[in-house]
């Protein structure tokens, strides 16, 4: 069966100078509404009298509204960051740890999901890496490794190196049943897979903005369940957040606010309009296309790629079908030493993808078409 994608979004992106961008898992391009927003932000800074009076509040609020809608939580529960790591760092450093507590992670996960936790070893926390038997850690594998000391299980929803998606529901249920916090890195999933966090047994999520969410670099957000957030043993304060009103004629006040909720953990200077204005426009644009629709489109492109590959030449390392399949497809030539040359051949033919851990990684997004996939296949299969 030949799979056909459905969205027609290519005109809202680029131009890509005639090239084909199959690397949303590396960097997502800005859609045109976001480019216009970036131009607007630039115009503000060229002549600062243009900066709207309410920009300091409205820029972060607008972004939080869009991100809240994306994951199905109230905007005031969104914490704005500058990366995926921001959210992981916040939880890893903020939880009230006791000597002997344990964190479980996945061996083979992207370093952002792992490194912040490793620092906790200095504080007497045990950090263990679990190697999945087969691509993605299963709920029963996790269950075997849990101990009374386990406090947190943290994993990427979609693995950057093999494209496997973990089963959030099943793993989250195991965590819930054992009183373990489940922290999900949504970086390779949000924007290409729908998720309403309130309907899933997850306690916290974190994500960057510059991949599937098509925002600028140096953007990200996280969400912690409000009751979890309230247990954090870490505080920060930023003068602009701490102001009670918007009157810059009355800035001089040292009373610390204790009513900020999630906003207390925002990265400093959230009125970062160069980044956050275009990112808000990107997320609004994606929401307008509907994430479920984007997921169907991207999945059809991946299925087309899988079906079209010459099986004598290529092995697909990601799941070929089923719920563990994602919109990242990792492929290797049956002679893996040829992958680097294939990557270059595709690049020379105007097709950009990623090489990760020696394999070819394709990650099509809503601006890609069947034709893009067919052009990549023609080069791969002729090699
Ligand atoms: C799963 C995953 N998490 C995080 C990141 C990036 O982390 P950060 O946003 O902290 O730079 C990547 C980048 O490829 C990733 O694949």
């Amino acid at each position: 069966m030949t799979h056909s994608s459905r969205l027609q979004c290519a005109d809202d992106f680029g131009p890509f100078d005639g090239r084909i961008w199959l690397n949303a898992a590396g960097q997502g391009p800005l859609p045109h509404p976001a480019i216009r927003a970036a131009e607007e932000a630039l115009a503000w800074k060229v002549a600062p009298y243009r900066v709207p009076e309410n920009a300091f509040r409205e820029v972060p609020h607008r972004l939080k509204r869009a991100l809240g809608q994306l994951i199905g939580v109230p905007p005031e529960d969104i914490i704005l960051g500058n990366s995926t790591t921001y959210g992981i760092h916040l939880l890893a450093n903020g939880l009230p740890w006791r000597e002997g507590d344990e964190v479980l992670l996945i061996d083979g996960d992207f370093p952002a999901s792992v490194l912040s936790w490793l620092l906790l070893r200095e504080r007497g926390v045990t950090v263990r890496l679990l190697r999945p038997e087969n691509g993605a850690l299963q709920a029963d594998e996790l269950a075997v490794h849990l101990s009374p000391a386990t406090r947190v299980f943290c994993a990427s929803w979609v693995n950057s190196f093999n494209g496997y998606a973990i089963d959030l529901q099943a793993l989250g249920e195991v965590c819930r049943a054992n009183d373990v916090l489940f922290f999900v890195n949504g970086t390779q999933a949000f924007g290409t897979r729908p998720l309403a966090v309130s309907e899933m047994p997850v306690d916290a999520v974190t994500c960057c903005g510059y991949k599937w969410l098509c925002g600028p670099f140096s953007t990200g957000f996280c969400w912690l369940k409000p009751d979890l957030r309230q247990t954090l043993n870490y505080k920060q304060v930023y003068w602009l957040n701490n102001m009670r009103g918007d009157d810059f004629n009355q800035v001089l006040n040292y009373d610390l606010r204790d009513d900020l909720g999630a906003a207390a953990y925002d990265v400093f200077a959230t009125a970062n309009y160069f980044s956050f204005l275009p990112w808000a426009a990107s997320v609004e644009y994606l929401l307008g296309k509907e994430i479920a629709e984007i997921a169907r489109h991207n999945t059809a492109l991946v299925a087309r790629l899988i079906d079209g590959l010459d099986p004598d030449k290529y092995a697909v390392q990601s799941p070929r079908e089923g719920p563990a399949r994602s919109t990242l497809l990792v492929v290797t030539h049956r002679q893996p030493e040829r992958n680097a040359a294939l990557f270059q051949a595709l690049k020379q033919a105007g097709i950009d993808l990623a090489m990760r851990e020696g394999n070819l990684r394709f990650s099509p997004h809503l601006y890609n078409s069947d034709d893009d996939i067919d052009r990549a296949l023609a080069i791969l299969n002729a090699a």
Side-chain angles (χ1 to χ4, degrees), residues 113-133:
S113 296
V114 173
L115 297 180
S116 303
W117 306 105
L118 295 183
L119 292 176
L120 295 174
R121 285 178 170 160
E122 290 166 13
R123 289 160 66 178
V125 173
T126 304
V127 182
R128 281 202 293 137
L129 291 153
L130 313 180
R131 175 134 294 269
E133 285 267 316

Side-chain angles (χ1 to χ4, degrees), residues 119-169:
L119 292 176
L120 295 174
R121 285 178 170 160
E122 290 166 13
R123 289 160 66 178
V125 173
T126 304
V127 182
R128 281 202 293 137
L129 291 153
L130 313 180
R131 175 134 294 269
E133 285 267 316
N134 187 13
L137 194 82
Q138 303 298 313
D140 52 355
E141 288 176 89
L142 175 64
V144 168
H145 287 285
L146 292 176
S147 79
T150 312
R151 299 274 312 283
V152 172
F153 169 55
C154 173
S156 299
W157 188 1
V158 171
N159 183 289
S160 317
F161 307 115
N162 65 18
Y164 273 75
I166 52 171
D167 183 340
L168 295 187
Q169 184 71 41

